[in-house]
Amino acid sequence: MSVLEVANASRWFGNVVAVNDVSMQIGPGVTGLLGPNGAGKTTLIAMMAGFLAPSAGMVTLDGAPVWNNVSIYRAIGLVPEREASFGYLSGRQFVRANAELHKLPSPGEAAERALGIVEMGEPAGRLISTYSKGMRQRIKLAAALVHDPAVLLLDEPFNGVDPRQRMHLMELLTRMGSEGRTVLFSSHILEEVEQIARHIEVVVSGRHAASGDFGAIRRLMTDRPNVYLLRTSDDRKLAAVLMAGESVAGVRLEPRGGVQVQVTDFGTFAVALPRLAKEHGITLREVTPTDESLESVFAYLVSA
């Protein structure tokens, strides 16, 4: 049972702050690291894996510093998002090379075991350059598992994976978490995290935005007012009508035309809007959600 702890860790590159004073604890089971692209997830995982030194703060595994501690690598497996340029090797050669780097007593046997876990035994003799994106993801996972690590870190592991491979990978990560391994995977897609991780850590713009049970955080995300932009034949008239609605939290006329409306109950609003427009002789020309992106959801969490 291994525990990764990030304590007030920051990392900057020149004047750019990639991770800003983040603290979190990752224990056994599957944890999702959630955040929009550019949030600092990759930098954070690199510090957890011991491949990047924190500019401030510390990352430890079971109390031992991760950075500049070679023995830690025996306990950590890393699946990076970036493709490694080993296309001239076969999948089997690549995984076995990782086993030899770990100085395992039977590297060939360890490589075959890892290839079997990710269902890559049959195509393992082919060059990595001939693999699909999904196959390359699985061969990287096999290399990360070859030394049977207690901690597994995966950076956007589902990118480019087809539905069948995605399901297999999700089942594999779930099983590893249930076995007592500490599994952390990053994603910018809520649905991916929801399927396999109950505990999540949310980062936005390098900051730690939320931590805890997925259901509770998901409710926090969805309980906020929804914002829509309406364009009509009479914006002022519709704005006055909507202000009396029970499901409407706020209305604002836009300088360039249109009405921005904050809605607390979208179901009620969706039924009432066309009825109100018809009753008052207003033509609806456009109804557009303006805050459905993940970035806006995460920004809400930061400001909540």
Side-chain angles (χ1 to χ4, degrees):
M1 299 288 186
S2 295
V3 176
L4 266 172
E5 184 167 2
V6 181
N8 303 112
S10 298
R11 175 69 197 198
W12 49 82
F13 300 91
N15 294 326
V16 178
V17 179
V19 173
N20 186 5
D21 195 29
V22 169
S23 294
M24 62 178 66
Q25 192 175 83
I26 312 298
V30 182
T31 298
L33 180 61
L34 186 60
N37 288 324
K41 302 187 301 295
T42 295
T43 301
L44 196 53
I45 287 177
M47 289 195 292
M48 291 179 179
F51 289 104
L52 193 62
S55 301
M58 183 174 288
V59 180
T60 60
L61 176 61
D62 296 331
V66 169
W67 173 247
N68 205 22
N69 185 352
V70 177
S71 64
I72 288 293
Y73 298 144
R74 298 187 184 278
I76 295 177
L78 173 66
V79 181
E81 180 183 18
R82 200 176 77 172
E83 295 291 345
S85 56
F86 298 113
Y88 55 89
L89 295 177
S90 70
R92 179 169 286 108
Q93 289 172 327
F94 176 60
V95 177
R96 177 167 181 145
N98 278 271
E100 291 173 348
L101 286 171
H102 281 286
K103 298 182 179 179
L104 300 181
S106 302
E109 291 180 11
E112 293 306 316
R113 177 189 59 80
L115 289 166
I117 290 173
V118 301
E119 297 184 353
M120 283 291 288
E122 185 176 340
R126 288 168 43 191
L127 294 181
I128 293 176
S129 61
T130 68
Y131 286 175
S132 66
K133 171 71 172 178
M135 293 171 72
R136 291 197 299 273
Q137 289 287 73
R138 285 192 287 159
I139 207 67
K140 287 191 294 184
L141 178 57
L145 291 173
V146 74
H147 58 299
D148 196 26
V151 177
L152 187 61
L153 305 173
L154 307 97
D155 193 4
E156 298 281 0
F158 302 110
N159 279 357
V161 179
D162 67 37
R164 187 189 68 82
Q165 294 171 337
R166 182 185 300 261
M167 185 62 66
H168 174 256
L169 181 53
M170 286 182 171
E171 291 173 352
L172 179 59
L173 296 185
T174 300
R175 185 171 75 246
M176 289 182 171
S178 66
E179 291 172 353
R181 295 181 201 253
T182 298
V183 180
L184 175 77
F185 75 97
S186 71
S187 177
H188 61 280
I189 300 175
L190 280 169
E191 288 70 23
E192 289 181 348
V193 177
E194 184 175 19
Q195 291 187 49
I196 60 174
R198 288 312 307 169
H199 185 89
I200 66 171
E201 303 287 345
V202 183
V203 292
V204 185
S205 301
R207 295 170 55 200
H208 194 194
S211 174
D213 177 79
F214 182 91
I217 293 176
R218 184 68 181 260
R219 286 191 295 274
L220 175 62
M221 290 177 174
T222 55
D223 283 350
R224 78 196 194 287
N226 298 104
V227 182
Y228 293 86
L229 177 65
L230 312 179
R231 297 190 185 279
T232 74
S233 59
D234 193 334
D235 293 340
R236 287 187 175 275
K237 188 174 182 180
L238 181 65
V241 170
L242 290 176
M243 286 177 66
E246 292 183 3
S247 61
V248 175
V251 177
R252 185 180 74 188
L253 286 169
E254 293 293 301
R256 297 184 179 182
V259 181
Q260 186 187 90
V261 54
Q262 294 185 0
V263 180
T264 57
D265 185 341
F266 173 70
T268 301
F269 176 74
V271 172
L273 179 61
R275 176 179 56 80
L276 289 171
K278 184 177 181 179
E279 288 178 359
H280 294 274
I282 302 170
T283 301
L284 293 173
R285 294 172 177 160
E286 181 182 335
V287 180
T288 305
T290 61
D291 66 341
E292 283 194 342
S293 69
L294 284 177
E295 285 78 2
S296 68
V297 173
F298 295 132
Y300 169 79
L301 279 175
V302 171
S303 61

